[in-house]
Amino acid sequence: SNWQKHRYIQKFNLYDNKCITMQNGISPLIDVKQLHKLEKTKTLIYFSTPYRGLIIAYHLFQEIKKHIPDIKLKVFSCFSREIEKNRMEYLPITDVNEVNHTEMDKYYHRIYKLLIDDPSIDFYGSVPQKILFEHIKSSMVLFYPNTYAETCCTSILEAMAYRCNIISSELGAIPETSNGYATLYNPHIDVLQENLIIDDNNIFKNPIQIEKISESYIRQFITKTIKLINNYHSEYNQHLLTEQQSYIKDCTWERRAEIIKKYISTM
């Protein structure tokens, strides 16, 4: 992202004209031209690592379902990767021991248990990409109360391709990545403070808790998510999602590679 590039320039005193930005691309499994008419259900989806906002997402969802009792939250998040190969189906996890495969997962035992015990939440842990995409396809909103300064978030790009509304945080390069199509709020947290440096694993072991998030962020996030679900099929929103997909058509790895090829040719 350009956000990340400028931080490198400032930190290491690099020459701006010697730096280029190549953002991430969507998976080659995604063909945006085939995704204009999708069967959507009243579902929010979270797919990112646990420390980037899963705890916040759980607490916000508890308030949202008071207003929309038949809402569903699907969660694809853990530190381990799919262990069993060639599985025929991937069902929601019912036993927390199914997902405690790594040392880092053990730090999230409590939140995993809360997700499993909530009948309105389907917690899948880690699944193959093609399985994940089937669930994104039927979801209305990427529910991502992020507490981490992302660079170029592929979760956002791929949810945009599947006609999901995006609601997240105004942190790092998320505004740049979502290109004006997302609803973003400022959680008013210092995500670049020294005690959150990844090298110390502090950000993994001590994720930001709901008490650290501003009340205005919580209120706005809940209110807007409810509106997005209730107005998903509105003419205005469908037009927005169509424009969003038009933008994503160019966010492929083939198009990203052209940036590098053009740069190399001028050297």
Side-chain angles (χ1 to χ4, degrees):
S1 63
N2 287 306
W3 176 83
Q4 184 183 29
K5 182 184 76 171
H6 293 315
R7 295 196 71 230
Y8 276 118
I9 291 171
Q10 292 171 359
K11 178 70 174 179
F12 300 109
N13 292 321
L14 305 178
Y15 291 105
D16 184 88
N17 63 352
K18 295 287 186 179
C19 302
I20 63 169
T21 299
M22 187 186 77
Q23 294 183 331
N24 285 329
I26 60 176
S27 167
L29 296 177
I30 298 175
D31 183 358
V32 179
K33 295 189 295 295
Q34 304 298 320
L35 300 177
H36 292 298
K37 294 183 179 180
L38 301 176
E39 294 289 332
K40 294 288 187 175
T41 61
K42 205 176 289 187
T43 302
L44 309 175
I45 190 167
Y46 177 104
F47 55 105
S48 185
T49 48
Y51 68 89
R52 298 189 183 199
L54 181 57
I55 294 171
I56 310 303
Y58 170 78
H59 288 288
L60 297 185
F61 181 70
Q62 299 309 304
E63 296 301 315
I64 290 168
K65 67 180 184 180
K66 293 177 182 178
H67 300 271
I68 310 178
D70 58 341
I71 193 74
K72 176 72 73 174
L73 171 62
K74 292 185 177 182
V75 175
F76 298 83
S77 182
C78 65
F79 290 96
S80 57
R81 288 293 174 258
E82 182 199 3
I83 293 177
E84 297 179 44
K85 302 299 181 183
N86 301 317
R87 287 175 58 180
M88 298 303 296
E89 62 179 349
Y90 291 82
L91 300 175
I93 293 169
T94 57
D95 183 347
V96 73
N97 292 316
E98 294 180 47
V99 73
N100 281 344
H101 299 306
T102 73
E103 187 65 30
M104 296 310 304
D105 281 312
K106 295 176 182 177
Y107 286 96
Y108 293 82
H109 180 99
R110 181 175 177 274
I111 188 66
Y112 292 165
K113 188 72 165 56
L114 289 172
L115 296 171
I116 291 169
D117 290 344
D118 190 326
S120 298
I121 299 176
D122 288 340
F123 175 48
Y124 290 87
S126 177
V127 301
Q129 202 173 54
K130 64 180 181 179
I131 302 296
L132 170 64
F133 290 161
E134 287 300 313
H135 288 278
I136 304 175
K137 185 184 294 185
S138 61
S139 300
M140 290 183 174
V141 176
L142 173 63
F143 187 64
Y144 194 24
N146 177 277
T147 57
Y148 176 82
E150 295 241 22
T151 53
C152 185
C153 178
T154 54
S155 295
I156 287 176
L157 292 174
E158 291 174 347
M160 288 171 69
Y162 280 96
R163 297 183 73 84
C164 291
N165 284 113
I166 312 298
I167 183 166
S168 190
S169 303
E170 193 176 355
L171 294 176
I174 290 180
E176 179 184 341
T177 303
S178 54
N179 197 46
Y181 293 106
T183 299
L184 306 176
Y185 297 110
N186 188 346
H188 299 289
I189 53 176
D190 183 3
V191 295
L192 300 178
Q193 58 185 291
E194 289 299 318
N195 67 337
L196 293 179
I197 295 175
I198 289 181
D199 289 344
D200 292 335
N201 281 331
N202 283 329
I203 198 167
F204 301 122
K205 297 178 182 179
N206 300 294
I208 292 173
Q209 303 295 318
I210 190 71
E211 294 80 12
K212 296 291 186 180
I213 305 299
S214 72
E215 291 185 7
S216 62
Y217 177 93
I218 293 172
R219 182 180 64 255
Q220 290 174 310
F221 212 98
I222 291 170
T223 301
K224 184 61 177 183
T225 302
I226 293 169
K227 288 182 178 179
L228 288 173
I229 289 292
N230 289 335
N231 296 291
Y232 179 83
H233 293 291
S234 69
E235 182 178 349
Y236 171 82
N237 192 52
Q238 291 304 304
H239 179 70
L240 171 73
L241 296 176
T242 298
E243 287 193 342
Q244 177 178 284
Q245 281 187 317
S246 295
Y247 168 72
I248 290 296
K249 286 178 182 178
D250 288 329
C251 298
T252 63
W253 283 112
E254 289 81 4
R255 295 301 297 271
R256 301 307 196 205
E258 291 176 6
I259 298 172
I260 296 296
K261 291 191 290 185
K262 181 179 179 180
Y263 177 75
I264 292 174
S265 67
T266 62
M267 293 177 66

